[in-house]
Amino acid sequence: MAIQLFQRLVQAEILLFVISIVGFALLRLLPGDFAEVLLLAQMDGTLPDQAAVAQFAQDNGFNDPVPLQYWRWLSNALGGDLGQSFITGEAVSRDLALRISRSLILGVTSLATAMILAIPIGYFCATHTGAWIDRALTALSVVGMSIPNFWLALLMALFFSLFLDLLPSSGHGTLAHVVLPTLVIATSVTGIIARFVRSRLLDELSQDYVRTANAKGMKRRRILWHHVVPNILPSTLTLTGLQFARIFDGMIVVETIFAWPGIGSLLVESLFNRDYPLIQMCFLVIASGYVVINLVVDYLITLIDPRVRGAI
């Protein structure tokens, strides 16, 4: 198992290395003169003269070949120097640490909310198949997983902030600021997990071992909690891990709409400002989040289900 974990770590490092190269190359392919666009953003839209652009490019090494620029950036990043923002002049590491911590707050609260809602809903639907409550909850799950985040965010902001005046529609700092972004992100994740739990439970309940247990007179609650639930736990954990990674996708939209200062809104601001050091690190941080979450999920599955240890 230690060898498999080491192999996964090596694969993850290779993947992040490739992502860093692709991200670096894509930034260089953006239209317009790279140095001129950056300098234009720093000067609040004032068109710089060519001498200033040439000096800026020279000072920042933009005239060097792109592979050399990448190597210089990678060497500094591995040494702990992530550079400085071209717009604010602040250290990139400082901005990232602050924004990541706020995004993690939103991610953890969203996933916890989704799990608290989704698992009971899925369980209740599977154990009341065909009843009106099953049909109603299933329909709500489909609506929840289908509705776009940006549209739901606007609806909730209009209803809870402008109409009812109960919750703030933007900003951060209090528990009330967390509620609306959390509900928006958790809605789609809840629908997906609830439908998955319902489907997996129904599949397991139709298996021969369940019929055998029923024929022997075993209580239904014991069958569910001692045999069925442990069987669906690894696949549910895998899906939950993937959804946790998906949450960070939704954050880019939700953080922008609710003005939540996380890594998603930082990426959007950086893209508008062409703030190259921040964009590059935002790409890497989000990609690293995916990789780390998948590694943790794989490791947890091997602990729960020894049968899959050879397959991971």
Side-chain angles (χ1 to χ4, degrees):
M1 184 173 172
I3 295 175
Q4 293 165 355
L5 184 60
F6 176 74
Q7 290 174 339
R8 291 301 305 271
L9 286 173
V10 172
Q11 291 171 359
E13 289 175 4
I14 294 173
L15 179 61
L16 290 176
F17 178 65
V18 172
I19 290 173
S20 72
I21 293 176
V22 173
F24 195 93
L26 286 176
L27 289 174
R28 299 296 169 170
L29 293 175
L30 289 173
D33 184 288
F34 196 67
E36 183 177 330
V37 172
L38 288 175
L39 197 55
L40 189 65
Q42 285 189 7
M43 297 173 67
D44 296 327
T46 305
L47 191 63
D49 56 50
Q50 288 304 309
V53 173
Q55 186 62 46
F56 183 75
Q58 180 66 32
D59 292 344
N60 290 280
F62 296 149
N63 295 328
D64 295 332
V66 173
L68 177 59
Q69 293 181 45
Y70 173 76
W71 174 249
R72 188 163 53 224
W73 170 83
L74 182 64
S75 302
N76 291 334
L78 291 176
D81 179 10
L82 304 183
Q84 292 181 324
S85 166
F86 282 138
I87 304 302
T88 65
E90 297 286 346
V92 170
S93 56
R94 178 183 172 279
D95 284 342
L96 281 177
L98 192 62
R99 297 297 189 101
I100 289 172
S101 62
R102 291 170 180 165
S103 285
L104 280 176
I105 292 172
L106 210 55
V108 171
T109 55
S110 299
L111 185 66
T113 303
M115 295 294 290
I116 290 170
L117 294 174
I119 292 178
I121 289 174
Y123 178 85
F124 195 77
C125 289
T127 53
H128 295 77
T129 312
W132 70 269
I133 190 67
D134 172 36
R135 293 195 292 271
L137 289 175
T138 301
L140 281 176
S141 299
V142 173
V143 172
M145 59 190 283
S146 305
I147 189 169
N149 276 347
F150 73 92
W151 195 62
L152 183 60
L154 293 175
L155 282 181
M156 285 195 170
L158 287 172
F159 185 71
F160 289 104
S161 300
L162 296 181
F163 183 68
L164 297 179
D165 196 21
L166 286 178
L167 295 166
S169 62
S170 63
H172 74 290
T174 67
L175 186 61
H177 288 99
V178 182
V179 176
L180 286 182
T182 295
L183 289 177
V184 171
I185 297 174
T187 298
S188 61
V189 179
T190 300
I192 293 170
I193 297 177
R195 282 183 58 79
F196 181 80
V197 170
R198 178 185 183 276
S199 173
R200 288 290 294 117
L201 277 174
L202 289 177
D203 284 344
E204 287 298 319
L205 290 172
S206 65
Q207 299 297 316
D208 289 339
Y209 75 89
V210 175
R211 283 195 288 270
T212 303
N214 278 323
K216 290 181 176 179
M218 189 178 293
K219 291 183 179 178
R220 185 175 176 82
R221 184 181 297 274
R222 181 176 175 79
I223 296 172
L224 280 169
W225 289 106
H226 287 259
H227 299 286
V228 174
V229 171
N231 281 342
I232 72 167
L233 199 55
S235 55
T236 304
L237 188 60
T238 302
L239 180 74
T240 303
L242 294 175
Q243 292 309 308
F244 191 50
R246 185 172 173 268
I247 280 175
F248 286 92
D249 280 346
M251 280 185 184
I252 294 174
V253 173
V254 174
E255 286 181 357
T256 303
I257 291 176
F258 288 107
W260 180 270
I263 191 74
S265 59
L266 180 63
L267 176 59
V268 174
E269 294 165 13
S270 306
L271 285 170
F272 276 122
N273 294 326
R274 298 285 184 90
D275 199 344
Y276 153 71
L278 272 176
I279 296 172
Q280 182 74 14
M281 290 313 302
C282 284
F283 280 150
L284 267 184
V285 166
I286 293 173
S288 300
Y290 273 96
V291 171
V292 170
I293 289 169
N294 281 304
L295 280 174
V296 171
V297 169
D298 286 348
Y299 181 70
L300 290 177
I301 290 173
T302 58
L303 291 179
I304 295 172
D305 189 355
R307 296 173 298 177
V308 302
R309 283 177 187 170
I312 293 179

